[in-house]
Amino acid sequence: MKKPKRKMIRLLQEEVIYYRQQAGKIDFRDATTDQLKMLFDFNRHEYETIKRIEKLRTEIG
């Protein structure tokens, strides 16, 4: 049962990297309202994904 959870953690980590890359492309100082909304969405998704990773890690032990 540990293998699927570890694979899921790896996929979620890749997802976090993607969100960080996308957020890094936005310069918030010159951003439009839509870009700021996207930035906050990326940050929220990143936070939720990290929480899921932590939960899976505690389940593995």
Side-chain angles (χ1 to χ4, degrees), residues 3 10 12 14-15 24 26 28 35 38-39 42 44 47 50 52 57-58:
K3 291 281 184 188
R10 196 171 321 119
L12 289 172
E14 290 175 11
E15 196 173 320
I26 299 173
F28 68 92
Q35 288 175 322
M38 280 181 17
L39 182 63
F42 288 142
R44 182 175 43 83
Y47 175 78
I50 289 172
R52 287 177 59 196
R57 283 187 176 154
T58 56

Side-chain angles (χ1 to χ4, degrees), residues 23-37 39:
K25 292 179 183 178
I26 299 173
D27 182 12
F28 68 92
R29 293 171 290 193
D30 298 326
T32 63
T33 304
D34 291 337
Q35 288 175 322
L36 288 174
K37 286 180 184 177
L39 182 63

Side-chain angles (χ1 to χ4, degrees), residues 6-31:
R6 287 191 177 148
K7 186 174 184 179
M8 183 62 147
I9 288 173
R10 196 171 321 119
L11 291 172
L12 289 172
Q13 287 172 336
E14 290 175 11
E15 196 173 320
V16 168
I17 291 169
Y18 169 78
Y19 289 132
R20 287 181 180 170
Q21 287 173 342
Q22 295 304 311
K25 292 179 183 178
I26 299 173
D27 182 12
F28 68 92
R29 293 171 290 193
D30 298 326

Side-chain angles (χ1 to χ4, degrees), residues 1-3 5-6 9 55-61:
M1 197 64 186
K2 288 185 179 183
K3 291 281 184 188
K5 287 186 180 180
R6 287 191 177 148
I9 288 173
K55 182 180 176 186
L56 286 171
R57 283 187 176 154
T58 56
E59 288 176 7
I60 290 175

